[in-house]
Amino acid sequence: MTTIVNDNQPILEVRDLRTSFFTGNVEVKAVDGVNFSVPKGKTLGIVGESGSGKSITSLSILRLIQNPGKVVGGEVVFKGKNLLEKSEAQMRKIRGNEISMIFQEPMTSLNPVYTVGQQIGEAFQIHEGLGKKKAIERSIEMLKLVGIPSPEKRVHQYPHELSGGMRQRVMIAMALACNPELLIADEPTTALDVTIQAQILELMKDLQDRLGMSIIMITHDLGVVAETCDYVAVMYCGKVIEYAQVDELFKNPRHPYTVGLLNSLPRHDIDLEDEELSVIKGSVPSPTDLPKGCRFAPRCPHASDICALRLPNLEEDENGNQIRCWIYSEEWDGDPEVNVHAERTT
Ligand SMILES: Nc1ncnc2c1ncn2[C@@H]1O[C@H](COP(=O)(O)OP(=O)(O)OP(=O)(O)O)[C@@H](O)[C@H]1O
Ligand code: SF4
Ligand SMILES: [Mg+2]
């Protein structure tokens, strides 16, 4: 297994993480040997098509996988300790305290029988020892920060009295209220309008600068990655296929899948009439019927014989960037002239 070298000490290292779902005799390997690290005080973006294992990776880190799912291997090293070896009681203390999560589905983390203020305020009561009244005042401040109108009224309402977008923002307020050391944000702003989205990303950045919070940002939006992330892990079919510093990834994407993702981004600096948005051909293979070799091979314009036969390893270069592709593999003895960048439209 490769180790990741970063200029910063990692707060979290995920090593060969494996999570499967078991239905009947079938094992679906949703997360299949994932490796990445999150340097302290930095933001790691996780990107990849729907079903690539982004949410299951984050739920596995927090040990929130439920039956028929199970973490079947690997390590989740947070501040030097493997979370997979902690007791459930220890995990409860870590969740919502040292690590907090903004879930893709807001209703999963809001309790319908408590008001918004009771739920956000709990963090202030537990972590800062505030009384009820002060905790409500701080909750109102948090609601203001995430752009909720009439926060004095909303703080006394129940989740079902709020719109979906507002619930999402309440959840963000809750996740940020305890000043976590690591925030895992799963598509935090996808459902929100652009202004609110910008406001919330700004708020996260501000907390990161002030408190040194580390962030895992899961998103479909490469624009959000470019703006907010320091590093990025690209996932495909339960595996990381490229890990790089963000600037490096946008300047010099190497994996054919990453190249395809970037090519499908609308560009503002190209005349719209001339622009032909390329999409990655084909679709993601079924997790119960994965290709034997490289999982991207059926869609890859550069696939050669070896790709269909053998899965490439995640290999690291001297800068700590990683790639899982035969073209870049030191083990590969194929045609050195193959140039994936010839396919780029930029
Ligand atoms: N409850 C479940 N039962 C069986 N398989 C599951 C279950 N939840 C997830 N999976 C499997 O895990 C894979 C990864 O799911 P995950 O939710 O992590 O995808 P994702 O990358 O977060 O996608 P999206 O971008 O749509 O949120 C799915 O393709 C599916 O095969
Ligand atoms: S290993 Fe082969 S099929 Fe897979 S991405 Fe690289 S070139 Fe394409
Ligand atoms: Mg998801």
Side-chain angles (χ1 to χ4, degrees):
M1 192 204 67
T2 39
T3 44
I4 297 157
V5 182
N6 279 310
D7 48 354
N8 282 292
Q9 198 54 18
I11 189 161
L12 181 81
E13 279 186 87
V14 172
R15 298 177 187 154
D16 201 25
L17 181 67
R18 294 169 189 274
T19 302
S20 292
F21 288 87
F22 297 89
T23 39
N25 289 330
V26 182
E27 176 183 3
V28 171
K29 295 179 177 179
V31 174
D32 190 16
V34 159
N35 292 286
F36 59 74
S37 70
V38 186
K40 199 166 186 309
K42 301 284 180 189
T43 301
L44 169 78
I46 302 184
V47 297
E49 266 162 293
S50 191
S52 57
K54 305 180 298 293
S55 296
I56 300 299
T57 298
S58 53
L59 293 170
S60 304
I61 292 170
L62 277 176
R63 300 246 315 264
L64 290 172
I65 296 292
Q66 287 172 355
N67 259 333
K70 195 171 181 319
V71 176
V72 291
E75 287 175 89
V76 175
V77 182
F78 176 66
K79 297 199 292 185
K81 301 264 164 57
N82 184 3
L83 296 185
L84 300 183
E85 289 170 354
K86 300 259 179 208
S87 68
E88 186 44 42
Q90 287 170 320
M91 279 313 292
R92 265 200 300 275
K93 277 197 194 137
I94 289 169
R95 283 184 217 120
N97 183 358
E98 290 167 75
I99 308 178
S100 64
M101 177 150 177
I102 300 169
F103 293 87
Q104 199 170 4
E105 301 295 330
M107 279 318 263
T108 52
S109 64
L110 292 178
N111 192 326
V113 301
Y114 292 104
T115 64
V116 164
Q118 284 167 330
Q119 295 187 60
I120 304 175
E122 195 187 352
F124 294 121
Q125 288 178 281
I126 295 174
H127 303 299
E128 295 181 25
L130 299 186
K132 263 193 191 148
K133 193 156 169 276
K134 270 263 169 252
I136 290 291
E137 280 170 23
R138 292 289 295 280
S139 304
I140 294 172
E141 276 171 32
M142 285 308 294
L143 291 178
K144 259 190 215 151
L145 279 174
V146 294
I148 295 214
S150 321
E152 293 82 2
K153 178 181 129 200
R154 296 294 184 188
V155 80
H156 299 296
Q157 291 186 324
Y158 290 89
H160 73 266
E161 295 176 84
L162 308 179
S163 69
M166 272 195 220
R167 285 201 285 258
Q168 184 74 5
R169 280 178 274 166
V170 167
M171 197 170 62
I172 293 168
M174 252 169 79
L176 296 176
C178 66
N179 297 336
E181 288 173 64
L182 174 65
L183 172 73
I184 304 177
D186 193 353
E187 303 279 0
T189 55
T190 311
L192 305 175
D193 74 48
V194 198
T195 324
I196 299 290
Q197 170 170 337
Q199 205 171 314
I200 285 169
L201 295 177
E202 192 56 40
L203 172 65
M204 285 185 195
K205 194 88 207 117
D206 181 51
L207 284 174
Q208 181 167 53
D209 292 344
R210 282 196 290 127
L211 307 167
M213 177 171 77
S214 313
I215 302 175
I216 295 178
M217 176 75 75
I218 298 172
T219 177
H220 277 95
D221 189 338
L222 286 166
V224 169
V225 172
E227 263 171 50
T228 63
C229 299
D230 302 291
Y231 297 88
V232 62
V234 183
M235 285 189 70
Y236 190 77
C237 292
K239 287 188 178 291
V240 172
I241 52 96
E242 186 161 7
Y243 176 97
Q245 293 189 359
V246 161
D247 297 350
E248 198 50 39
L249 188 103
F250 280 89
K251 251 193 303 183
N252 182 27
R254 297 190 297 160
H255 196 286
Y257 177 64
T258 314
V259 172
L261 276 186
L262 291 184
N263 275 345
S264 59
L265 264 184
R267 304 255 326 223
H268 302 297
D269 54 341
I270 293 178
D271 188 346
L272 268 182
E273 282 182 25
D274 298 340
E275 186 187 358
E276 205 181 300
L277 215 59
S278 67
V279 281
I280 303 169
K281 292 182 183 66
S283 51
V284 183
S286 154
T288 51
D289 188 20
L290 290 171
K292 181 170 165 236
C294 170
R295 292 175 182 179
F296 189 56
R299 306 172 76 187
C300 180
H302 306 287
S304 55
D305 292 349
I306 191 175
C307 304
L309 295 171
R310 282 176 58 201
L311 183 72
N313 288 319
L314 192 63
E315 292 180 35
E316 185 170 300
D317 66 16
E318 63 284 359
N319 300 319
N321 295 326
Q322 301 180 337
I323 182 116
R324 185 191 290 281
C325 173
W326 284 117
I327 291 174
Y328 301 95
S329 172
E330 296 197 343
E331 285 177 57
W332 197 52
D333 55 2
D335 181 6
E337 295 304 313
V338 172
N339 177 8
V340 288
H341 302 293
E343 283 295 304
R344 295 203 73 199
T345 54
T346 56

